[in-house]
Amino acid sequence: MRFFWKRRVKNRCKFGDLPEQVCSYLAINESQPIISKIPFRSQRFVVLDTEATGLDYKKDKLISIGAISLQDGMISIEDSFETLIRQIETGDKESIPVHGILKRDLEWAAQEEAALLCFLSYINNSILVAHHADFDKNIINHALQKRFGLLLLNPFLDTEQFARRLEKGPFEDPFHKPGDYSLDSLCTRYDIELNDRHTSAGDAFLTAQLLQVLLCTARKKGLTFIGDILK
Amino acid sequence: MASNTIIDRVKTELQKYPPFNQLTDNVLQGFSTKIKVQYYQEGEIIFEKGDDPKPYAFIVIKGSVNLTETIEQEEVLIDVCDEGDIFGVRHILAHDNYYVTAKVAEESLIYAVPVQEFRNLIENDSKVALFFAAEFASGMPEREYSLAHSVTLRKAYSNNPCKPVLVENDTLEIHPTTNVVSCAPDVAIQHAAKIMADRNVGSIIIVNDKRHPLGIITDTDLRKKVVAVEANVKNDPVSSIMSSPVYTIEKGKTVADLIILMMKTNLRHFCVTQDGTPNTPVEGIISEHDVVTAEGNNPAVIIKEMMQCRDKEKLAMQREKAEELLISYLQQDVGIHFIANVITEVNDALISRAMEFAIQELNDEGYPKPELRFCWLSMGSEGRKEQLLRTDQDNAILYDNPPEAEAEKVKQYFLWLGEKVTKILIDCGFKKCPADIMANNPKWNQSLTGWKTLFEKWILTPEPKAVMHSTIFFDFRPVYGNMDLADELKLFVIEKVKHGQGFLIFFAVNALQNPPPLSFFRNFIVESSGKHANEFDIKARTMMPLCDAARVLAFELGIKEYLSTSERYEKIAEIEPQLKELAKESGMAYEILMRLRAQNGLKHKNSGRYINPNNLNKLERQALRNIFKTIDSLQSAINLRYQLDYVRG
């Protein structure tokens, strides 16, 4: 299945059927995959967060993606990313009665497609990081598949799982409360000031700061290589 | 297309601290975009002494970083950086290796700023440039900013330096002296000096043939550029030494305007021209003195009222008014030199009036004043013209040697006089001196010979108590009576100190008793030992060391005038080139401290001696930190100058 979609995307690229960003994204991830035997410090991580219209990634729509990179222990403000995929309601009012719905959908599609292409160029072949990463991964993959028949190739690191692993070791503590590893609890625990909560960029920035602390802890525990942290 | 949400977050963090709070939104936006966020755990090293400079400067956003140096295998704390502090700038600008090691003291969030961004900021914003100006100078420790620019900074960053809300009457117009003394630019200096002396004025305006002002010569110019230079320049034209251009203003300026102008320009003379520019004829001149004594201006009114007071109780009332004046001056950031002068004038007037009352009373009681020269001496801070808040009295009486037959009678008279005057001063809010250094104490109420004998004894046998007394008594200043008597005593002391070399060494050792604190850490003072304290004695730890050092140098250099500590430093800078920079900085430091202490004292209704870092803003802390460093350098210089290591060991 995985092999199958890749070949299809490659073929479409050959015929110039897909945007250039999709093709180069695929190419770089194929030619330069993440190597688990290099130190994670020099690796570029892209910490991201998404917002959607709901929690069902198959039905709900992507509203925004916020992301920021971390490399060599530094979060780079310049190398951050924020995109809003929202209808502009103030558009051409007279045209709405005629083809209102159609126009909206078209605009949505155009916005989402542009945002995804920017995002692909931005993430490149970095390791992606998110808190509760599954949801973000799924909703982005869903959108990518719908638009370009593409799925994300980057490895994912879930800060929730990572924090759990670093704090508790391989053995789960059966007594932990469900909320203990929420972004809020972790930030409070690691003394990271909770600002701009619940905007994708704000949460991405918080998660990046959390990752900074976690990677520091990991290094202290003797973990050095990418393979050590991508279990 | 970086995220605006994230950039805004960074902007908000930076805006909490100077100089970033002064940037325009646009500039701050661009700057914030370039920030790299770093996280360090306790004990991590950000850079090490001798390392090549990193391509970043660092701002502490959370946590703290210690700057240390290893001297003879021992780690010495140089400074502590907490939230808002910037470090690692100088090395970048100077393309030098790091002088110090930056070690994380507490888990820290650091913003790293690319070098180029810092450069851009400094090049494009004069306020920021000012903030980092000292970083360009070489030979300074990691994050020392010079005092000179702390002062300018305080003004630049002050919220409203020019809010003209002086107390009543200050909106009164100042009438310039219209009878302006002037001369042409080719007149010889000596001739100009003679005109000034003949007309009894402190300045002369140099004008062209249309009477447009070209420059000005003041007493200070004559002193600095003529008397103090070795070459004989007396016959040179005045144009060679005049300060030019002269600051011109329009007519109709108020007291408040002038105070603010003096504060801003640091000038003491302003030339009034027809249209306020140098291109119209001179119409008048306004000096600092005119402002202090302007009709309707408060200090002058207070002084006048004091001099005309019919009873002693009214004196106290007038002195209360001076306190209000002090508050309003301090609030408006009026120059401390000016404030100290005003308060000294007021206190001197009060003492003079108290003397007159006392002499009159004694006369009425049947004890007429002996036909004999005498003089009231103010000591300590009052002697140095530095008393802003009313503290304890330190005073004495000096009288000429009486004929032997009348010695007892004269002695008794001046004791009564001392008693009466100190009593009036107590009623006016000047507390009794706990050490009893007052004119009603027979020990401090003596004939010229008596004083000379006493001072000589102190100088020849400088045991601790003698040295301690010298620090108070040698700052004497005549306030009322025959000034020449005091001059004679002063010259005597200078002469004796000069020949009794040992004394200066003890005097110098005394000046080094109290080292300043090292730095600040949040709401604590950091001592060189690394210990923290939550308040510090601004008098003992900063003002006394500066004041004591100035006194030692002043006596060594034979400075005869009765000067304040800052004036002493000014003079030292003038006559001792080796100490020029340090003396200038020390003088400025002292004025900042006087202001801080006065503000603190007024706020807490006490002497203002103890400062809690909680009550200081970031800029004040930075200024104080620089002062600590200045005092430290000054003490090292004193140590070296008098070779005290040999004495103290």
Side-chain angles (χ1 to χ4, degrees):
Chain A
M1 173 73 188
R2 191 178 155 91
F3 193 73
F4 186 61
W5 72 255
K6 270 197 219 169
R7 197 152 65 188
R8 270 185 51 192
V9 171
K10 268 189 239 170
N11 268 330
R12 287 175 70 187
C13 280
K14 223 177 266 173
F15 291 106
D17 206 16
L18 278 174
E20 191 264 326
Q21 292 96 321
V22 176
C23 304
S24 29
Y25 170 77
L26 188 64
I28 193 153
N29 276 285
E30 289 261 275
S31 62
Q32 297 173 34
I34 297 295
I35 304 159
S36 52
K37 272 286 188 288
I38 63 165
F40 57 72
R41 193 171 160 79
S42 54
Q43 172 64 40
R44 180 175 183 258
F45 294 88
V46 165
V47 188
L48 63 94
D49 184 61
T50 56
E51 266 187 286
T53 49
L55 291 172
D56 184 348
Y57 69 87
K58 285 182 183 144
K59 252 177 35 206
D60 290 314
K61 285 179 177 176
L62 195 55
I63 294 176
S64 71
I65 308 174
I68 190 159
S69 80
L70 173 75
Q71 190 168 16
D72 290 321
M74 290 189 279
I75 300 173
S76 168
I77 304 300
E78 197 173 21
D79 192 19
S80 60
F81 180 90
E82 184 171 19
T83 183
L84 290 177
I85 309 162
R86 272 193 188 131
Q87 285 293 70
I88 304 152
E89 296 291 357
T90 51
D92 194 345
K93 280 211 171 126
E94 280 166 35
S95 65
I96 291 172
V98 189
H99 23 235
I101 295 163
L102 188 62
K103 186 167 187 281
R104 264 193 200 187
D105 280 353
L106 276 177
E107 270 182 8
W108 182 282
Q111 276 190 42
E112 192 180 70
E113 182 162 328
L116 288 170
L117 290 176
C118 282
F119 182 68
L120 287 177
S121 308
Y122 171 73
I123 60 172
N124 234 329
N125 59 343
S126 306
I127 294 177
L128 301 183
V129 184
H131 203 69
H132 299 301
D134 279 350
F135 177 76
D136 302 288
K137 185 178 178 177
N138 286 337
I139 194 147
I140 294 171
N141 270 339
H142 191 72
L144 284 174
Q145 196 169 34
K146 205 167 65 190
R147 303 268 163 235
F148 316 114
L150 182 76
L151 292 175
L152 288 170
L153 289 161
N154 317 59
F156 258 90
L157 175 66
D158 186 336
T159 39
E160 191 217 8
Q161 300 298 327
F162 192 29
R164 243 181 236 273
R165 211 146 59 86
L166 288 171
E167 281 189 12
K168 310 229 155 131
F171 307 105
E172 271 284 342
D173 178 356
F175 298 110
H176 88 263
K177 288 184 225 110
D180 278 356
Y181 290 89
S182 68
L183 188 54
D184 282 325
S185 312
L186 280 167
C187 283
T188 310
R189 192 140 79 238
Y190 290 114
D191 207 12
I192 296 164
E193 216 178 306
L194 284 164
N195 293 307
D196 311 311
R197 256 321 244 131
H198 305 304
T199 62
S200 58
D203 280 359
F205 193 28
L206 287 178
T207 311
Q209 292 176 62
L210 175 62
L211 179 65
Q212 238 175 356
V213 179
L214 295 178
L215 288 178
C216 213
T217 314
R219 239 186 23 240
K220 278 200 173 161
K221 293 199 166 198
L223 308 181
T224 318
F225 299 106
I226 293 175
D228 298 338
I229 56 170
L230 294 178
K231 48 169 180 181
Chain B
M1 52 156 201
S3 154
N4 280 326
T5 312
I6 296 173
I7 295 171
D8 281 347
R9 168 54 37 206
V10 172
K11 270 165 71 180
T12 312
E13 288 299 323
L14 287 174
Q15 261 165 344
K16 293 180 191 163
Y17 312 108
F20 309 107
N21 53 359
Q22 296 288 316
L23 300 180
T24 62
D25 195 62
N26 232 349
V27 173
L28 186 62
Q29 173 95 15
F31 185 79
S32 302
T33 309
K34 302 293 180 185
I35 297 284
K36 311 269 185 199
V37 182
Q38 297 184 316
Y39 165 80
Y40 290 98
Q41 290 188 338
E42 189 187 324
E44 286 190 85
I45 304 281
I46 300 176
F47 54 74
E48 200 140 4
K49 185 180 173 180
D51 281 359
D52 286 337
K54 300 204 183 285
Y56 301 103
F58 305 91
I59 309 165
V60 183
I61 296 298
K62 214 182 73 194
S64 66
V65 175
N66 285 347
L67 302 180
T68 63
E69 199 176 351
T70 310
I71 299 169
E72 288 166 5
Q73 279 144 40
E74 218 174 293
E75 199 173 76
V76 180
L77 187 64
I78 303 288
D79 210 338
V80 184
C81 302
D82 62 26
E83 288 85 355
D85 285 332
I86 304 162
F87 63 96
V89 178
R90 199 179 92 63
H91 309 270
I92 294 164
L93 298 171
H95 300 288
D96 237 338
N97 291 350
Y98 288 109
Y99 282 81
V100 293
T101 297
K103 190 176 178 184
V104 177
E106 292 177 338
E107 188 178 45
S108 295
L109 199 65
I110 307 275
Y111 282 0
V113 189
V115 179
Q116 193 50 45
E117 289 312 305
F118 247 107
R119 287 223 184 93
N120 289 349
L121 208 59
I122 289 166
E123 278 161 23
N124 298 327
D125 190 309
S126 60
K127 274 189 178 177
V128 177
L130 199 62
F131 194 88
F132 291 107
E135 300 284 342
F136 288 105
S138 58
M140 288 201 193
E142 170 60 18
R143 38 165 308 164
E144 179 173 348
Y145 309 131
S146 91
L147 268 181
H149 94 284
S150 285
V151 176
T152 328
L153 259 185
R154 193 173 48 74
K155 285 176 185 162
Y157 282 69
S158 168
N159 286 333
N160 69 28
C162 310
K163 202 169 133 221
V165 280
L166 291 171
V167 275
E168 50 190 314
N169 287 337
D170 49 75
T171 46
L172 279 186
E173 187 180 330
I174 290 199
H175 296 288
T177 311
T178 45
N179 189 8
V180 182
V181 179
S182 64
C183 70
D186 53 356
V187 166
I189 294 170
Q190 186 159 30
H191 186 63
K194 186 164 184 312
I195 299 175
M196 286 166 69
D198 289 347
R199 302 280 295 271
N200 196 21
V201 291
S203 63
I204 186 165
I205 301 269
I206 318 302
V207 294
N208 65 13
D209 48 1
K210 292 180 197 142
R211 278 188 67 77
H212 297 178
L214 300 173
I216 184 169
I217 292 179
T218 64
D219 281 341
T220 318
D221 292 319
L222 290 177
R223 190 154 42 83
K224 287 189 185 168
K225 299 176 189 165
V226 181
V227 182
V229 297
E230 284 188 18
N232 186 0
V233 294
K234 287 184 200 155
N235 293 319
D236 292 357
V238 283
S239 56
S240 66
I241 61 156
M242 68 184 181
S243 306
S244 176
V246 56
Y247 200 106
T248 53
I249 54 173
E250 286 173 283
K251 261 187 293 194
K253 295 281 180 195
T254 64
V255 173
D257 291 338
L258 263 299
I259 286 175
I260 288 156
L261 199 59
M262 287 194 310
M263 197 178 90
K264 277 200 219 156
T265 59
N266 257 332
L267 295 173
R268 304 209 177 142
H269 294 87
F270 300 95
C271 182
V272 182
T273 60
Q274 235 164 46
D275 69 350
T277 73
N279 307 318
T280 48
V282 175
E283 297 207 324
I285 183 162
I286 296 178
S287 66
E288 181 185 65
H289 182 258
D290 296 328
V291 179
V292 183
T293 57
E295 187 67 33
N297 187 21
N298 276 279
V301 171
I302 292 170
I303 291 166
K304 214 161 104 190
E305 293 281 324
M306 278 183 170
M307 297 318 281
Q308 293 168 353
C309 261
R310 294 253 164 253
D311 57 76
K312 291 181 280 185
E313 288 68 38
K314 291 242 169 71
L315 267 184
M317 222 175 70
Q318 291 300 328
R319 187 57 186 78
E320 283 304 321
K321 279 195 193 167
E323 198 89 351
E324 288 163 27
L325 192 68
L326 173 66
I327 296 171
S328 84
Y329 281 165
L330 284 173
Q331 278 168 351
Q332 286 166 91
D333 229 359
V334 174
I336 207 79
H337 185 83
F338 178 86
I339 303 177
N341 275 348
V342 167
I343 300 297
T344 302
E345 295 282 335
V346 169
N347 287 348
D348 286 0
L350 181 110
I351 291 168
S352 302
R353 190 67 188 137
M355 292 290 281
E356 286 167 6
F357 279 132
I359 291 169
Q360 187 61 48
E361 273 178 26
L362 282 170
N363 195 54
D364 295 346
E365 289 162 20
Y367 303 102
K369 188 174 79 66
E371 285 304 316
L372 184 82
R373 291 188 304 165
F374 82 101
C375 188
W376 176 273
L377 303 176
S378 284
M379 313 275 192
S381 64
E382 182 71 46
R384 293 189 309 271
K385 305 180 279 188
E386 286 168 3
Q387 211 172 66
L388 297 185
L389 301 172
R390 279 170 287 184
T391 51
D392 306 334
Q393 295 188 38
D394 282 319
N395 46 44
I397 287 177
L398 158 70
Y399 51 87
D400 208 351
N401 299 323
E404 215 162 308
E406 286 178 39
E408 269 315 301
K409 218 175 96 190
V410 167
K411 188 176 174 154
Q412 186 56 58
Y413 175 85
F414 284 113
L415 267 177
W416 283 330
L417 185 66
E419 186 64 48
K420 281 186 185 295
V421 175
T422 48
K423 171 81 180 47
I424 299 174
L425 291 180
I426 290 171
D427 293 342
C428 289
F430 295 88
K431 285 188 223 71
K432 258 176 90 161
C433 172
D436 218 10
I437 300 178
M438 297 203 299
N440 61 347
N441 182 340
K443 258 170 101 179
W444 317 128
N445 192 322
Q446 301 230 32
S447 68
L448 184 59
T449 305
W451 282 112
K452 281 185 178 174
T453 315
L454 188 65
F455 285 176
E456 188 169 15
K457 196 178 131 212
W458 290 349
I459 294 165
L460 295 179
T461 10
E463 35 94 26
K465 193 151 192 189
V467 173
M468 192 204 78
H469 274 140
S470 311
T471 62
I472 300 166
F473 283 84
F474 288 5
D475 284 345
F476 71 79
R477 179 175 61 93
V479 173
Y480 182 89
N482 301 85
M483 309 290 168
D484 50 346
L485 206 57
D487 292 349
E488 198 181 326
L489 187 59
K490 178 100 183 181
L491 285 176
F492 175 82
V493 174
I494 290 173
E495 195 59 27
K496 286 295 163 196
V497 168
K498 199 168 154 191
H499 290 110
Q501 279 294 339
F503 175 79
L504 267 181
I505 290 172
F506 284 95
F507 221 27
V509 168
N510 175 67
L512 301 192
Q513 270 185 84
N514 285 317
L518 182 72
S519 189
F520 286 97
F521 175 62
R522 306 228 171 87
N523 293 327
F524 295 100
I525 291 290
V526 182
E527 301 290 352
S528 303
S529 62
K531 281 193 183 137
H532 288 30
N534 54 13
E535 67 175 12
F536 86 109
D537 183 341
I538 190 176
K539 184 182 173 195
R541 303 295 302 282
T542 59
M543 297 180 78
M544 268 166 61
L546 281 170
C547 174
D548 288 344
R551 186 183 306 106
V552 173
L553 291 166
F555 275 96
E556 187 214 313
L557 299 169
I559 295 171
K560 294 189 283 289
E561 295 90 339
Y562 306 100
L563 301 178
S564 69
T565 300
S566 330
E567 287 167 343
R568 275 175 174 161
Y569 279 120
E570 224 170 274
K571 191 88 186 176
I572 293 163
E574 219 174 275
I575 57 183
E576 189 69 359
Q578 273 173 289
L579 292 172
K580 193 173 167 197
E581 290 308 314
L582 194 52
K584 275 188 181 166
E585 297 233 318
S586 302
M588 264 187 282
Y590 200 78
E591 295 201 345
I592 296 173
L593 293 168
M594 277 176 73
R595 173 188 302 280
L596 209 57
R597 182 176 171 193
Q599 282 169 336
N600 191 49
L602 284 173
K603 198 153 125 198
H604 299 104
K605 305 229 179 303
N606 56 26
S607 71
R609 247 183 109 150
Y610 296 94
I611 300 255
N612 185 332
N614 246 327
N615 301 325
L616 301 171
N617 64 35
K618 194 85 199 164
L619 219 55
E620 285 169 332
R621 285 174 200 215
Q622 274 162 352
L624 266 178
R625 199 195 297 250
N626 295 341
I627 288 172
F628 297 160
K629 308 245 144 124
T630 301
I631 298 171
D632 190 55
S633 312
L634 181 71
Q635 293 194 332
S636 303
I638 295 275
N639 196 17
L640 202 66
R641 191 179 179 94
Y642 301 100
Q643 307 198 327
L644 300 183
D645 276 339
Y646 301 104
V647 187
R648 286 200 291 180

